[in-house]
Amino acid sequence: MRVATGTGDAETLLAAVPAGQRVAIVDARFVGHLHALRLGLTDPRFPAAAVPGAVTAQPAARQALTRALARENSAAAGGAAVVTDNLAERIAVALDADGIPVHRPDLGTLVAAVPTDPQSRNEARQAVAAVDDEAVRLRSAVKARDGFFTTHFISPYSRYIARWCARRGLTPNQVTTASLITALIAAAAAATGTRGGFVAAGVLLILSFVLDCTDGQLARYSLQYSTLGAWLDATFDRVKEYAYYAGLALGAARGGDDVWALALGAMILQTCRHVVDFAFNEANHDATANTSPTAALSDRLDSVGWTVWVRRMIVLPIGERWALIAVLTAATTPRITFVVLLVGCAFAATYTTAGRVLRSVTRKAHRTDRAARALADLADSGPLAELAARAVPGAPRKTAVLSAAAGALLLVLAAWLFGPSWQLVLLAGLYALLSAEAVTHPLKGPLDWLVPPFFRAAEYGTVLVLAAKSGVNGVLPAAFGLVAAVAYHHYDTVYRIRGDAGAPPPWLVRAIGGHEGRTLLVTVLAATLTAAQFKVALTALAGYVALVVLVESIRFWVAAHKGGAPAVHDEGEPA
C-alpha cells in the first residue's frame, strides 16, 4: 500500500507497479465494510471494477487506467474545474468512457462511502456498525438460485465448511478434488455388490455432494474464481456421476444382475438433457425480442412461492438427483435405482424440453451469428458431414431440425429392428447425409437448438442398441466407456463456449470423426466383426477417443489458466 499526495503522485506510484499486476486506487476518506472492498477490488473475473471510493484494474485494463490518470493530471495542472473530488469515481467513469467496462458489484446492505464532512462520516460509521459484514459474506457465498435439496439440506451448514476451508488456506480446486475422490470411493464401495457397500456408497455420495457445494461457496466467500476452477468443477460433476453409475453396474454384476444397459441408458438420458439445456441457453443467450407468452406465464408462476420449489424439484437438478440415487442405493438394489432414475429423468426431460419448445415457437426472437456458431459447434459435425454438405443441394432453412430429427429416429429404429447389418450401415450413411443437410444453413430457426440434442441421441442411442443386441458379456461396459469418452468431448465443447474460448480445434473434431463419422464407424464394426471382436473394437475406440480428447482438453485449460484467461464462474441453472 502506498499513499499518494495527488493525481501526479498517484500516476508515478502506479507506473512503478509491474504491468502484469492488478492495481487499485482507494480514497483515503473511504468508510465501509471490508467485504465491500473485497467485492470491488479482488474479484478476478472483471478487467476493472469499482465501489464508491475505490477502483481497480487488472493487467488488461492497466493502459486505460494510465491514460485516465494522465488526463486527470493534465486537467489538475491546467486548473480545470473538477465536478467531484473523488478521484476513484472519476477514474471509473473515465475507464467506462474508454471502452473498459467497469463492474460495480451489488453491495446490498454493505456500506461503501466517501464522507465529505464529519457528520456524514459519523453516519457512515454507524451504518457500518449496524451491519455484520461476515454474516452478509456467508449469505452471499450461497448460490442465489439453487435446488430445494441444496438450499434447505446442504447450504445451511456447507457455507460454514467453506469458511473453515478459507481460514485454513484451502482453495476451491482442492475441495473440488476432494469431492471427486470421495465420489470415486463411493463408486468403488458400490462396486463391491454388498449391502454394506451400497449403504457406504450412498453416504459417501452425499458427502461428495456436500463438498461439491462447498467448493463453489468457498470460491464466492473468498472470491477465488478461476478459469481452471470452473472447468474442474463442471467436469468433475459429470465424472463423479457417471463413475458412480459404472460402480453400481459393477456391484449389480457381482450379485448376478446385469444392469449395464440401464446404466448406459441413464448416462445417455442425462447427457442429452444437458445438451438440451446448453443448446437452448446458447440459442437464446443474446437473442433480441426474446419474449413469449410461455415465458411470461413462467415468470408469473415464479412469483408464487411454493411453485418455485416444485418446479425446481421436478426437473431433478443435481442435488435432488444425487439424493435420490444415494437413498435408493442404500435402501434398494441397483436395478431399482436405475429404473427410478430413468423414469424421473425422462419425466424431467419431457417437462423441460416441452416448455422450451413452447417458448421457442411463441416468441419472435432474432438470433445472432454468435448463437448460430455456438449451435454449429455443439453439433460436432465431422469430415463426412463436411464432404456431404458440398454434395447436398441447399435445402430450405426451416428443415434443419426436421432433417436432424428424421435422421436420428431412422437410425435408432433401424439399429433396433435390423441390429448389426449392412442395411444399418447404409442407413447410417443416409443419416450422415441428413445430418449434413441439417447444418447447411446457419442454425437460426426457432427450434434449431434441438439439432445438437438429436445428434447426441442418434449417436449414443445407436451405440446402446447395438451393444445390447450383441448378447456378449463385456460389450455394454465397452459401449459405456465409448459414450463416456465422447460425452466428455461434448461437455468440453460446452465449457469452452461458455468461457468464450470458442470450440475445440477443427483438427480434434476431425481426428475423432465427428458424430456422424463415429456413428457410421460403429455400425460398420458391428456389421463386420463377431460380437467378441466388436467388444475389443469398442474398447479400442473408447481408449483412442478418451486419450485424444483428454490430452487436448487438459492442455487447453491449463494453458488458458496460466495465460491469464478471464476467470469464469457459472451461476446459472443447477445442473
Side-chain angles (χ1 to χ4, degrees):
M1 181 181 295
R2 300 289 185 272
V3 177
T5 57
T7 55
D9 193 21
E11 184 179 5
T12 301
L13 290 173
L14 288 177
V17 180
Q21 294 183 10
R22 172 201 289 269
V23 294
I25 297 174
V26 182
D27 196 303
R29 299 165 298 173
F30 175 86
V31 174
H33 288 102
L34 177 60
H35 193 54
L37 279 180
R38 285 195 195 97
L39 291 172
L41 303 183
T42 65
D43 195 325
R45 294 174 293 176
F46 310 100
V51 294
V55 62
T56 183
Q58 296 232 56
R62 285 286 300 274
Q63 290 186 354
L65 177 66
T66 300
R67 289 193 296 269
L69 273 172
R71 288 193 294 269
E72 286 289 332
N73 201 18
S74 299
V82 176
V83 178
T84 171
D85 64 352
N86 188 331
L87 176 62
E89 181 60 30
R90 297 201 306 273
I91 293 298
V93 172
L95 288 175
D96 268 323
D98 204 9
I100 303 295
V102 178
H103 172 66
R104 298 177 184 271
D106 181 9
L107 299 179
T109 57
L110 295 175
V111 177
V114 181
T116 56
D117 57 74
Q119 181 179 350
S120 59
R121 176 175 292 275
N122 184 54
E123 291 173 351
R125 286 174 173 168
Q126 290 177 353
V128 170
V131 176
D132 183 354
D133 69 335
E134 179 61 19
V136 173
R137 189 181 182 188
L138 276 172
R139 285 198 304 272
S140 61
V142 177
K143 190 183 291 187
R145 177 180 172 84
D146 224 327
F148 179 85
F149 179 77
T150 305
T151 300
H152 295 285
F153 292 92
I154 303 297
S155 293
Y157 58 87
S158 62
R159 69 184 76 182
Y160 295 101
I161 301 175
R163 181 172 67 180
W164 183 89
C165 292
R167 290 177 175 177
R168 282 151 185 81
L170 297 177
T171 67
N173 290 353
Q174 290 171 334
V175 179
T176 301
T177 304
S179 175
L180 172 66
I181 293 171
T182 304
L184 294 179
I185 296 173
T192 63
T194 64
R195 176 51 51 195
F198 289 148
V199 172
V203 173
L204 287 169
L205 188 63
I206 293 296
L207 177 57
S208 174
F209 183 65
V210 172
L211 293 173
D212 182 56
C213 295
T214 301
D215 63 2
Q217 291 165 358
L218 174 58
R220 287 182 286 273
Y221 180 86
S222 57
L223 300 177
Q224 297 183 72
Y225 304 109
S226 71
T227 300
L228 182 63
W231 171 70
L232 287 176
D233 184 44
T235 301
F236 284 2
D237 278 351
R238 306 287 77 80
V239 172
K240 287 181 287 190
E241 185 167 4
Y242 300 153
Y244 191 83
Y245 292 175
L248 270 182
L250 286 170
R254 286 179 178 272
D257 191 11
D258 187 353
V259 297
W260 274 106
L262 295 176
L264 180 51
M267 181 168 68
I268 291 173
L269 180 56
Q270 192 56 41
T271 304
C272 288
R273 279 190 63 197
H274 281 142
V275 78
V276 166
D277 296 343
F278 299 145
F280 178 81
N281 290 337
E282 288 302 324
N284 296 280
H285 181 268
D286 48 10
T288 56
N290 200 13
T291 59
S292 75
T294 308
L297 174 61
S298 178
D299 291 339
R300 286 197 296 272
L301 288 174
D302 278 346
S303 66
V304 182
W306 65 271
T307 66
V308 175
W309 294 118
V310 170
R311 295 171 69 213
R312 291 188 192 179
M313 289 173 67
I314 63 177
V315 299
L316 277 185
I318 189 170
E320 277 73 0
R321 195 167 65 250
W322 283 26
L324 176 68
I325 295 169
V327 171
L328 289 175
T329 299
T332 65
T333 65
R335 180 171 292 274
I336 293 175
T337 301
F338 281 123
V339 169
V340 174
L341 179 64
L342 282 166
V343 172
C345 286
F347 175 81
T350 303
Y351 170 78
T352 55
T353 305
R356 286 165 177 170
V357 168
L358 284 174
R359 289 191 185 199
S360 299
V361 298
T362 57
R363 68 177 24 139
K364 303 296 182 182
H366 301 284
R367 292 181 174 83
T368 62
D369 291 336
R370 178 197 176 280
R373 180 68 259 168
L375 291 179
D377 292 335
L378 289 174
D380 191 34
S381 299
L384 280 181
E386 293 176 4
L387 290 173
R390 299 171 188 169
V392 173
R397 183 185 298 272
K398 294 183 179 180
T399 64
V401 69
L402 295 177
S403 297
L409 183 61
L410 180 67
L411 184 63
V412 176
L413 280 178
W416 181 266
L417 294 174
F418 302 135
S421 64
W422 286 107
Q423 295 99 311
L424 179 60
V425 173
L426 292 175
L427 289 171
L430 177 60
Y431 165 76
L433 291 175
L434 288 172
S435 64
E437 188 274 333
V439 295
T440 350
H441 294 293
L443 298 175
K444 293 186 177 182
L447 293 176
D448 284 356
W449 54 270
L450 285 169
V451 170
F454 278 129
F455 288 167
R456 298 296 82 78
E459 180 181 1
Y460 301 161
T462 301
V463 174
L464 169 60
V465 173
L466 290 177
K469 281 184 167 290
S470 69
V472 172
N473 288 336
V475 176
L476 277 166
F480 188 97
L482 175 60
V483 172
V486 175
Y488 176 87
H489 163 63
H490 291 144
Y491 280 116
D492 189 55
T493 301
V494 169
Y495 304 142
R496 293 192 194 214
I497 293 172
R498 279 186 168 184
D500 290 326
W507 71 261
L508 176 64
V509 177
R510 295 191 185 101
I512 59 176
H515 73 94
E516 78 292 346
R518 289 187 300 270
T519 304
L520 181 59
L521 176 59
V522 169
T523 61
V524 170
L525 293 174
T528 58
L529 301 176
T530 66
Q533 292 170 334
F534 184 50
K535 176 179 70 174
V536 175
L538 284 184
T539 304
L541 182 59
Y544 167 74
V545 172
L547 177 64
V548 174
V549 167
L550 280 172
V551 168
E552 162 55 22
S553 175
I554 294 170
R555 181 210 63 79
F556 170 80
W557 288 105
V558 171
H561 178 70
K562 290 182 178 179
V568 295
H569 191 72
D570 180 23
E571 296 288 356
E573 296 286 341

